[in-house]
Short mmCIF file of all heavy atoms in Angstrom, two decimals:
data_model
loop_
_atom_site.label_atom_id
_atom_site.label_comp_id
_atom_site.label_asym_id
_atom_site.label_seq_id
_atom_site.Cartn_x
_atom_site.Cartn_y
_atom_site.Cartn_z
N GLN F 263 -16.36 15.59 -3.14
CA GLN F 263 -15.84 16.69 -2.33
C GLN F 263 -15.05 16.15 -1.15
O GLN F 263 -15.29 15.03 -0.67
CB GLN F 263 -16.97 17.58 -1.83
CG GLN F 263 -17.59 18.46 -2.91
CD GLN F 263 -18.65 19.37 -2.34
OE1 GLN F 263 -19.64 18.91 -1.76
NE2 GLN F 263 -18.47 20.67 -2.49
N LEU F 264 -14.14 16.98 -0.70
CA LEU F 264 -13.30 16.62 0.45
C LEU F 264 -13.56 17.66 1.53
O LEU F 264 -13.42 18.86 1.29
CB LEU F 264 -11.84 16.68 -0.01
CG LEU F 264 -10.79 16.21 0.98
CD1 LEU F 264 -10.88 14.70 1.19
CD2 LEU F 264 -9.40 16.56 0.45
N CYS F 265 -13.95 17.17 2.70
CA CYS F 265 -14.21 18.09 3.82
C CYS F 265 -13.02 18.00 4.78
O CYS F 265 -12.70 16.91 5.27
CB CYS F 265 -15.51 17.67 4.50
SG CYS F 265 -15.90 18.63 5.96
N SER F 266 -12.36 19.12 5.03
CA SER F 266 -11.15 19.11 5.87
C SER F 266 -11.31 20.09 7.03
O SER F 266 -10.77 21.20 6.99
CB SER F 266 -9.93 19.49 5.03
OG SER F 266 -9.75 18.58 3.98
N PRO F 267 -12.03 19.67 8.07
CA PRO F 267 -12.26 20.60 9.18
C PRO F 267 -11.03 20.80 10.06
O PRO F 267 -10.12 19.95 10.09
CB PRO F 267 -13.35 19.90 10.01
CG PRO F 267 -13.84 18.76 9.21
CD PRO F 267 -12.74 18.40 8.26
N GLY F 268 -11.05 21.93 10.79
CA GLY F 268 -10.12 22.13 11.89
C GLY F 268 -10.71 21.45 13.11
O GLY F 268 -11.20 20.32 13.01
N PHE F 269 -10.72 22.11 14.26
CA PHE F 269 -11.24 21.48 15.48
C PHE F 269 -12.75 21.68 15.61
O PHE F 269 -13.24 22.80 15.56
CB PHE F 269 -10.56 22.07 16.71
CG PHE F 269 -9.09 21.74 16.80
CD1 PHE F 269 -8.13 22.73 16.64
CD2 PHE F 269 -8.67 20.44 17.02
CE1 PHE F 269 -6.78 22.43 16.72
CE2 PHE F 269 -7.32 20.13 17.10
CZ PHE F 269 -6.37 21.13 16.95
N VAL F 270 -13.45 20.56 15.81
CA VAL F 270 -14.89 20.60 16.07
C VAL F 270 -15.11 19.94 17.43
O VAL F 270 -14.49 18.91 17.74
CB VAL F 270 -15.67 19.85 14.96
CG1 VAL F 270 -17.16 19.91 15.23
CG2 VAL F 270 -15.35 20.44 13.58
N ASP F 271 -16.00 20.52 18.21
CA ASP F 271 -16.22 20.07 19.58
C ASP F 271 -17.06 18.78 19.61
O ASP F 271 -18.30 18.83 19.52
CB ASP F 271 -16.94 21.20 20.34
CG ASP F 271 -16.94 20.97 21.84
OD1 ASP F 271 -16.30 19.99 22.29
OD2 ASP F 271 -17.59 21.76 22.55
N THR F 272 -16.40 17.64 19.69
CA THR F 272 -17.08 16.34 19.74
C THR F 272 -16.37 15.48 20.78
O THR F 272 -15.34 15.89 21.33
CB THR F 272 -17.00 15.61 18.38
OG1 THR F 272 -15.63 15.30 18.11
CG2 THR F 272 -17.56 16.43 17.24
N GLN F 273 -16.88 14.26 20.98
CA GLN F 273 -16.20 13.37 21.94
C GLN F 273 -14.77 13.07 21.49
O GLN F 273 -13.88 12.84 22.30
CB GLN F 273 -16.98 12.07 22.13
CG GLN F 273 -17.06 11.23 20.86
CD GLN F 273 -17.42 9.77 21.12
OE1 GLN F 273 -17.96 9.45 22.17
NE2 GLN F 273 -17.15 8.90 20.17
N ALA F 274 -14.54 13.10 20.16
CA ALA F 274 -13.20 12.79 19.64
C ALA F 274 -12.18 13.82 20.09
O ALA F 274 -11.05 13.48 20.45
CB ALA F 274 -13.24 12.72 18.10
N THR F 275 -12.56 15.09 20.09
CA THR F 275 -11.61 16.15 20.46
C THR F 275 -11.61 16.40 21.97
O THR F 275 -10.71 17.07 22.47
CB THR F 275 -11.92 17.47 19.73
OG1 THR F 275 -13.32 17.71 19.80
CG2 THR F 275 -11.47 17.44 18.29
N SER F 276 -12.62 15.85 22.67
CA SER F 276 -12.71 16.12 24.12
C SER F 276 -11.51 15.54 24.88
O SER F 276 -11.22 15.94 26.00
CB SER F 276 -14.03 15.58 24.69
OG SER F 276 -14.00 14.18 24.61
N ILE F 277 -10.79 14.60 24.26
CA ILE F 277 -9.62 14.01 24.93
C ILE F 277 -8.37 14.88 24.80
O ILE F 277 -7.37 14.64 25.46
CB ILE F 277 -9.28 12.59 24.42
CG1 ILE F 277 -9.05 12.60 22.90
CG2 ILE F 277 -10.36 11.60 24.79
CD1 ILE F 277 -8.48 11.28 22.38
N ASN F 278 -8.42 15.89 23.93
CA ASN F 278 -7.24 16.75 23.76
C ASN F 278 -7.01 17.61 25.00
O ASN F 278 -7.95 18.22 25.52
CB ASN F 278 -7.41 17.67 22.54
CG ASN F 278 -7.25 16.91 21.23
OD1 ASN F 278 -6.61 15.86 21.21
ND2 ASN F 278 -7.80 17.44 20.16
#
Side-chain angles (χ1 to χ4, degrees):
Q263 286 183 301
L264 186 69
C265 175
S266 300
F269 293 112
V270 180
D271 193 6
T272 65
Q273 65 161 19
T275 45
S276 67
I277 57 170
N278 286 337

